[in-house]
Amino acid sequence: MAFLNPAFMLMSFHFVQEREREGVSTCVCACANSAHVLCSDLFAMEMTTDEDALFEDLDFAADDSSLFSDYTTPLSGLINNVTWLRPQEICRSPCLFPDDITEAYPKQGILGDCWLLCACSMLLKSHHLLDQVMPPGQHVWGEKGYRGQFRFQFWRNGRWTEVRVDDRLPCVKNTLCFSRCHQPSAFWVALLEKAYAKLCGSYEHLWAGQVCEAVVDLSGGVAERWSLTHAEDTLSGRSLFPELSNEMRKRSYISCCVHRALSGSSEQGQFHALSVMEWTDVKTSAGDQVRLLRIRNPWGRKAWNGAWTESGSGWNCLDPSCSADLLGRTQEGEFWVDEMEFRQEFDEVTVGYPISEDWHLQSIYTGSLLTHSQQISGAWVKGQSAGGCRNNSSYSSNPKFWLKVREGGEVLLSLLQHRSVSTMCNSKQRPTDGSTKQHLCQAIALHVWKVDKKHYNLMQTLNSTPCASTRTHVYEREVVVHTHLSSGFYLLVPSTFLQGAEGQFLLRVHSTHPAYLSAVKVCTQQECTGGEWEAVTVCGRWTAGSTAGGSRNFSSHGQNPRVPLNITYDPGGTNVKITLRQHSPENALHAIGFHVYKIPDGKADSVVISTLCPVVSCVPHAHSQEVCVQCRLPPAGYIILPSTYQPDCSAEYTITISRRIHRKAINSQECLGRTVQEISHVSVMGL
């Protein structure tokens, strides 16, 4: 499964007893029946005496509307059991961060958001990221300017979005029921969790998710997922993350997760995410080298039975001083595993690209800074630009972008589809099998072709092998392509798997050298009228049951009328204009389009259309009076097949073929007709 959750095991309220054993009860209010009784008169004097002045967030109210979305997760057991308290009502001396940074790490409550908490650990490694997400200088408890309000910033759909929340937090028996810090009096994690829940629509929307999504939302960077099991199942095609340099081991953020029930440590649970805090190579007494990884469990307990537990047999093969040093580094909820255990017990890793203080991504592959970045938005629109995958004849209608690379180098491309908050909030079918958010995403992919700047045949290009691409369409919010590109021009085509699937997306490019990203600008018929032209008009009819074969989606496509086209002159640039016009009333238009096939030598009469790929297409079929395509065709013999989208649609049509000629036209004619309805297949760079 692609999504992570703690398998519902924390729903029990035993967490309250556990926290009482940790000493939390000494910090809670003495009067359990009054949620607003302060623990200390001295602290109350330091606080504002006007409780009404404290901010109350009406957009994310302290009630069940902020907790639940559709009551389909185990959180529904909290109905009518939650009390909302401010930190000063929970403990005596609340703070944002403890003095000991090791006590600031998140500890998971009964909410299945281990994926978010693992990403929160990343912020403690990068103070500039932490300051970006939680701007410094905010007034806290006991300060004169404190008003019970906190600001956070999350990166969404290409920009940083501010989220303001009050500090009323959900509690059970005066104890936080969701995430907190290892030091109970520190509240940065609980407040960030609330702000992120507001961004997503509710706390329940945080039940199950992807670590990589949270990493991106908390950094504005890029994260990749790699399989540790089967190479064919991984997004990057790797069976294990590559060897990282010592620097990248320290700078990269790495998380690991379990998709299945663990054999050696069943308490870990299925769909659970953990953080890789450190990895180091040590030598055994026999001289063998062992790679050890220090893992942090957001549950706050070790829950591990391997050879490298505190009393495990693995330590016997190391020098006692080395063993003592490594064991001394572990904090609450941390444990060591060797690389063999790691491969056997975990299924997947997420690696977040480090971000420098200058806000440049650092390549996890080479360590190089990707100092040049650009982003551009786009959309898949049904009937216009939602062409689907390469299996569809309408693939060419997908949005297209130019990438101009001035100097060869390392390039990181990412395609991120928007998932609006309103869509998430309105969702009423939330599975609880570890794939909670999957249904909110389209299966997406990104393909890249190197092309000539001035002239190229779109259909021939798209039918060729891309120079780089995602491995397949996947149901992920973001897909990533890491590659090295030489200087030149590249055509980028983002697509959904399903034809007609709508959505908005963000295309990002990070590179070591200057690269320029722009949307493909199409050349209209009026812009390509240079030179001498000769026009021929052919009339025909689609007849139900005989010549109305429909589009290429139907086996009867070859029954459509065939219009011969002979090209003898190619001066460079556009040399053919084909216009198809149907003679039907405006209120009874069919969806029309056409394909152009190159015929093998001497086989014009016997060519089987189903065995050929079109060299030019005017698709998707449009409910328009007229459609048109301009293109460049080399000298050869061709066949034009006009068609309606559905078979057995009767109508009359006219095809006008305009060809460039090398002599002065005697009887030339040009039919501009209505506004061009389909995109051109001749594109120019627009920078």
mmCIF file of all heavy atoms in Angstrom, residues 396-421:
data_model
loop_
_atom_site.group_PDB
_atom_site.id
_atom_site.type_symbol
_atom_site.label_atom_id
_atom_site.label_comp_id
_atom_site.label_asym_id
_atom_site.label_seq_id
_atom_site.Cartn_x
_atom_site.Cartn_y
_atom_site.Cartn_z
ATOM 1 N N SER A 396 -1.973 13.769 -27.762
ATOM 2 C CA SER A 396 -1.312 14.990 -28.245
ATOM 3 C C SER A 396 -2.017 16.258 -27.798
ATOM 4 O O SER A 396 -1.443 17.351 -27.885
ATOM 5 C CB SER A 396 -1.230 14.975 -29.775
ATOM 6 O OG SER A 396 -2.532 14.927 -30.338
ATOM 7 N N SER A 397 -3.253 16.151 -27.300
ATOM 8 C CA SER A 397 -3.972 17.345 -26.859
ATOM 9 C C SER A 397 -3.605 17.752 -25.437
ATOM 10 O O SER A 397 -4.039 18.803 -24.959
ATOM 11 C CB SER A 397 -5.484 17.111 -26.944
ATOM 12 O OG SER A 397 -5.900 16.130 -26.006
ATOM 13 N N ASN A 398 -2.805 16.934 -24.737
ATOM 14 C CA ASN A 398 -2.388 17.296 -23.384
ATOM 15 C C ASN A 398 -1.590 18.596 -23.384
ATOM 16 O O ASN A 398 -0.997 18.972 -24.406
ATOM 17 C CB ASN A 398 -1.529 16.172 -22.785
ATOM 18 C CG ASN A 398 -2.350 15.020 -22.255
ATOM 19 O OD1 ASN A 398 -3.188 15.205 -21.382
ATOM 20 N ND2 ASN A 398 -2.115 13.829 -22.789
ATOM 21 N N PRO A 399 -1.542 19.308 -22.268
ATOM 22 C CA PRO A 399 -0.708 20.509 -22.194
ATOM 23 C C PRO A 399 0.741 20.170 -22.537
ATOM 24 O O PRO A 399 1.240 19.091 -22.202
ATOM 25 C CB PRO A 399 -0.844 20.950 -20.736
ATOM 26 C CG PRO A 399 -2.127 20.343 -20.272
ATOM 27 C CD PRO A 399 -2.254 19.050 -21.003
ATOM 28 N N LYS A 400 1.395 21.101 -23.214
ATOM 29 C CA LYS A 400 2.776 20.887 -23.646
ATOM 30 C C LYS A 400 3.626 22.088 -23.252
ATOM 31 O O LYS A 400 3.158 23.226 -23.289
ATOM 32 C CB LYS A 400 2.830 20.657 -25.164
ATOM 33 C CG LYS A 400 2.229 19.327 -25.594
ATOM 34 C CD LYS A 400 2.135 19.201 -27.081
ATOM 35 C CE LYS A 400 0.970 19.982 -27.651
ATOM 36 N NZ LYS A 400 -0.330 19.474 -27.233
ATOM 37 N N PHE A 401 4.883 21.798 -22.886
ATOM 38 C CA PHE A 401 5.778 22.846 -22.410
ATOM 39 C C PHE A 401 7.150 22.689 -23.051
ATOM 40 O O PHE A 401 7.602 21.578 -23.325
ATOM 41 C CB PHE A 401 5.905 22.782 -20.879
ATOM 42 C CG PHE A 401 4.603 22.985 -20.161
ATOM 43 C CD1 PHE A 401 3.779 21.910 -19.879
ATOM 44 C CD2 PHE A 401 4.189 24.259 -19.791
ATOM 45 C CE1 PHE A 401 2.568 22.092 -19.233
ATOM 46 C CE2 PHE A 401 2.980 24.452 -19.142
ATOM 47 C CZ PHE A 401 2.173 23.374 -18.863
ATOM 48 N N TRP A 402 7.771 23.841 -23.286
ATOM 49 C CA TRP A 402 9.136 23.876 -23.770
ATOM 50 C C TRP A 402 10.088 23.980 -22.593
ATOM 51 O O TRP A 402 9.847 24.727 -21.647
ATOM 52 C CB TRP A 402 9.374 25.096 -24.661
ATOM 53 C CG TRP A 402 8.890 25.000 -26.068
ATOM 54 C CD1 TRP A 402 7.904 25.738 -26.647
ATOM 55 C CD2 TRP A 402 9.405 24.153 -27.097
ATOM 56 N NE1 TRP A 402 7.759 25.400 -27.964
ATOM 57 C CE2 TRP A 402 8.671 24.421 -28.264
ATOM 58 C CE3 TRP A 402 10.414 23.179 -27.129
ATOM 59 C CZ2 TRP A 402 8.920 23.762 -29.463
ATOM 60 C CZ3 TRP A 402 10.654 22.519 -28.330
ATOM 61 C CH2 TRP A 402 9.912 22.813 -29.479
ATOM 62 N N LEU A 403 11.179 23.250 -22.668
ATOM 63 C CA LEU A 403 12.300 23.422 -21.752
ATOM 64 C C LEU A 403 13.542 23.683 -22.588
ATOM 65 O O LEU A 403 13.970 22.825 -23.365
ATOM 66 C CB LEU A 403 12.501 22.184 -20.873
ATOM 67 C CG LEU A 403 13.671 22.270 -19.883
ATOM 68 C CD1 LEU A 403 13.406 23.365 -18.859
ATOM 69 C CD2 LEU A 403 13.919 20.924 -19.203
ATOM 70 N N LYS A 404 14.100 24.869 -22.442
ATOM 71 C CA LYS A 404 15.318 25.230 -23.162
ATOM 72 C C LYS A 404 16.487 25.113 -22.202
ATOM 73 O O LYS A 404 16.556 25.810 -21.192
ATOM 74 C CB LYS A 404 15.209 26.658 -23.700
ATOM 75 C CG LYS A 404 16.445 27.102 -24.480
ATOM 76 C CD LYS A 404 16.274 28.518 -24.990
ATOM 77 C CE LYS A 404 17.504 28.973 -25.769
ATOM 78 N NZ LYS A 404 17.354 30.372 -26.253
ATOM 79 N N VAL A 405 17.415 24.222 -22.512
ATOM 80 C CA VAL A 405 18.596 23.988 -21.686
ATOM 81 C C VAL A 405 19.791 24.619 -22.394
ATOM 82 O O VAL A 405 20.164 24.192 -23.481
ATOM 83 C CB VAL A 405 18.822 22.478 -21.461
ATOM 84 C CG1 VAL A 405 20.076 22.244 -20.619
ATOM 85 C CG2 VAL A 405 17.605 21.841 -20.799
ATOM 86 N N ARG A 406 20.362 25.633 -21.784
ATOM 87 C CA ARG A 406 21.478 26.339 -22.418
ATOM 88 C C ARG A 406 22.778 25.551 -22.322
ATOM 89 O O ARG A 406 23.606 25.604 -23.225
ATOM 90 C CB ARG A 406 21.663 27.710 -21.780
ATOM 91 C CG ARG A 406 20.568 28.711 -22.128
ATOM 92 C CD ARG A 406 21.030 30.130 -21.828
ATOM 93 N NE ARG A 406 20.027 31.108 -22.184
ATOM 94 C CZ ARG A 406 19.860 31.614 -23.396
ATOM 95 N NH1 ARG A 406 20.645 31.213 -24.377
ATOM 96 N NH2 ARG A 406 18.926 32.522 -23.630
ATOM 97 N N GLU A 407 22.957 24.842 -21.225
ATOM 98 C CA GLU A 407 24.184 24.087 -21.011
ATOM 99 C C GLU A 407 23.826 22.784 -20.331
ATOM 100 O O GLU A 407 23.025 22.760 -19.397
ATOM 101 C CB GLU A 407 25.161 24.899 -20.152
ATOM 102 C CG GLU A 407 26.506 24.237 -19.933
ATOM 103 C CD GLU A 407 27.430 25.103 -19.102
ATOM 104 O OE1 GLU A 407 27.094 26.286 -18.874
ATOM 105 O OE2 GLU A 407 28.475 24.593 -18.666
ATOM 106 N N GLY A 408 24.410 21.700 -20.815
ATOM 107 C CA GLY A 408 24.072 20.395 -20.273
ATOM 108 C C GLY A 408 24.363 20.291 -18.792
ATOM 109 O O GLY A 408 25.317 20.884 -18.279
ATOM 110 N N GLY A 409 23.553 19.518 -18.095
ATOM 111 C CA GLY A 409 23.758 19.340 -16.661
ATOM 112 C C GLY A 409 22.661 18.523 -16.028
ATOM 113 O O GLY A 409 21.820 17.914 -16.709
ATOM 114 N N GLU A 410 22.648 18.515 -14.714
ATOM 115 C CA GLU A 410 21.686 17.743 -13.941
ATOM 116 C C GLU A 410 20.363 18.494 -13.857
ATOM 117 O O GLU A 410 20.343 19.705 -13.601
ATOM 118 C CB GLU A 410 22.249 17.498 -12.542
ATOM 119 C CG GLU A 410 21.470 16.522 -11.701
ATOM 120 C CD GLU A 410 22.170 16.230 -10.390
ATOM 121 O OE1 GLU A 410 23.247 16.809 -10.142
ATOM 122 O OE2 GLU A 410 21.616 15.430 -9.601
ATOM 123 N N VAL A 411 19.278 17.783 -14.095
ATOM 124 C CA VAL A 411 17.951 18.396 -14.116
ATOM 125 C C VAL A 411 16.996 17.537 -13.290
ATOM 126 O O VAL A 411 16.988 16.305 -13.395
ATOM 127 C CB VAL A 411 17.420 18.545 -15.555
ATOM 128 C CG1 VAL A 411 16.010 19.137 -15.540
ATOM 129 C CG2 VAL A 411 18.349 19.409 -16.390
ATOM 130 N N LEU A 412 16.200 18.199 -12.470
ATOM 131 C CA LEU A 412 15.166 17.542 -11.677
ATOM 132 C C LEU A 412 13.822 18.124 -12.076
ATOM 133 O O LEU A 412 13.589 19.328 -11.939
ATOM 134 C CB LEU A 412 15.419 17.751 -10.187
ATOM 135 C CG LEU A 412 14.444 17.081 -9.217
ATOM 136 C CD1 LEU A 412 14.623 15.560 -9.265
ATOM 137 C CD2 LEU A 412 14.662 17.588 -7.802
ATOM 138 N N LEU A 413 12.948 17.282 -12.600
ATOM 139 C CA LEU A 413 11.614 17.698 -13.029
ATOM 140 C C LEU A 413 10.589 17.090 -12.088
ATOM 141 O O LEU A 413 10.705 15.922 -11.695
ATOM 142 C CB LEU A 413 11.325 17.224 -14.457
ATOM 143 C CG LEU A 413 12.333 17.615 -15.539
ATOM 144 C CD1 LEU A 413 12.036 16.858 -16.824
ATOM 145 C CD2 LEU A 413 12.301 19.110 -15.791
ATOM 146 N N SER A 414 9.587 17.865 -11.723
ATOM 147 C CA SER A 414 8.521 17.320 -10.881
ATOM 148 C C SER A 414 7.177 17.826 -11.379
ATOM 149 O O SER A 414 7.039 18.975 -11.789
ATOM 150 C CB SER A 414 8.725 17.699 -9.407
ATOM 151 O OG SER A 414 8.522 19.081 -9.202
ATOM 152 N N LEU A 415 6.208 16.927 -11.350
ATOM 153 C CA LEU A 415 4.830 17.243 -11.736
ATOM 154 C C LEU A 415 3.959 17.032 -10.516
ATOM 155 O O LEU A 415 3.833 15.913 -10.014
ATOM 156 C CB LEU A 415 4.375 16.344 -12.889
ATOM 157 C CG LEU A 415 2.898 16.420 -13.273
ATOM 158 C CD1 LEU A 415 2.548 17.805 -13.812
ATOM 159 C CD2 LEU A 415 2.549 15.348 -14.308
ATOM 160 N N LEU A 416 3.362 18.111 -10.024
ATOM 161 C CA LEU A 416 2.558 18.074 -8.800
ATOM 162 C C LEU A 416 1.134 18.468 -9.130
ATOM 163 O O LEU A 416 0.885 19.562 -9.631
ATOM 164 C CB LEU A 416 3.160 19.014 -7.752
ATOM 165 C CG LEU A 416 2.523 19.022 -6.360
ATOM 166 C CD1 LEU A 416 3.584 19.354 -5.307
ATOM 167 C CD2 LEU A 416 1.393 20.035 -6.252
ATOM 168 N N GLN A 417 0.198 17.565 -8.876
ATOM 169 C CA GLN A 417 -1.209 17.883 -9.128
ATOM 170 C C GLN A 417 -1.823 18.514 -7.891
ATOM 171 O O GLN A 417 -1.513 18.146 -6.759
ATOM 172 C CB GLN A 417 -1.980 16.642 -9.541
ATOM 173 C CG GLN A 417 -1.978 15.495 -8.552
ATOM 174 C CD GLN A 417 -2.781 14.303 -9.037
ATOM 175 O OE1 GLN A 417 -3.926 14.442 -9.498
ATOM 176 N NE2 GLN A 417 -2.194 13.123 -8.959
ATOM 177 N N HIS A 418 -2.677 19.511 -8.118
ATOM 178 C CA HIS A 418 -3.330 20.203 -7.016
ATOM 179 C C HIS A 418 -4.397 19.294 -6.419
ATOM 180 O O HIS A 418 -5.108 18.593 -7.127
ATOM 181 C CB HIS A 418 -3.991 21.493 -7.504
ATOM 182 C CG HIS A 418 -2.996 22.518 -7.955
ATOM 183 N ND1 HIS A 418 -3.347 23.819 -8.200
ATOM 184 C CD2 HIS A 418 -1.666 22.439 -8.202
ATOM 185 C CE1 HIS A 418 -2.277 24.498 -8.589
ATOM 186 N NE2 HIS A 418 -1.252 23.665 -8.594
ATOM 187 N N ARG A 419 -4.492 19.370 -5.112
ATOM 188 C CA ARG A 419 -5.583 18.697 -4.413
ATOM 189 C C ARG A 419 -6.176 19.732 -3.497
ATOM 190 O O ARG A 419 -5.657 20.012 -2.425
ATOM 191 C CB ARG A 419 -5.080 17.492 -3.631
ATOM 192 C CG ARG A 419 -6.212 16.666 -3.041
ATOM 193 C CD ARG A 419 -5.739 15.292 -2.631
ATOM 194 N NE ARG A 419 -4.666 15.348 -1.665
ATOM 195 C CZ ARG A 419 -3.615 14.524 -1.655
ATOM 196 N NH1 ARG A 419 -3.502 13.638 -2.610
ATOM 197 N NH2 ARG A 419 -2.693 14.619 -0.726
ATOM 198 N N SER A 420 -7.248 20.334 -3.930
ATOM 199 C CA SER A 420 -7.810 21.460 -3.204
ATOM 200 C C SER A 420 -8.389 21.027 -1.873
ATOM 201 O O SER A 420 -8.832 19.897 -1.685
ATOM 202 C CB SER A 420 -8.912 22.140 -4.039
ATOM 203 O OG SER A 420 -10.007 21.259 -4.207
ATOM 204 N N VAL A 421 -8.372 21.969 -0.923
ATOM 205 C CA VAL A 421 -8.941 21.702 0.397
ATOM 206 C C VAL A 421 -10.426 21.409 0.288
ATOM 207 O O VAL A 421 -10.968 20.542 0.960
ATOM 208 C CB VAL A 421 -8.690 22.892 1.333
ATOM 209 C CG1 VAL A 421 -9.407 22.682 2.660
ATOM 210 C CG2 VAL A 421 -7.197 23.077 1.565
#
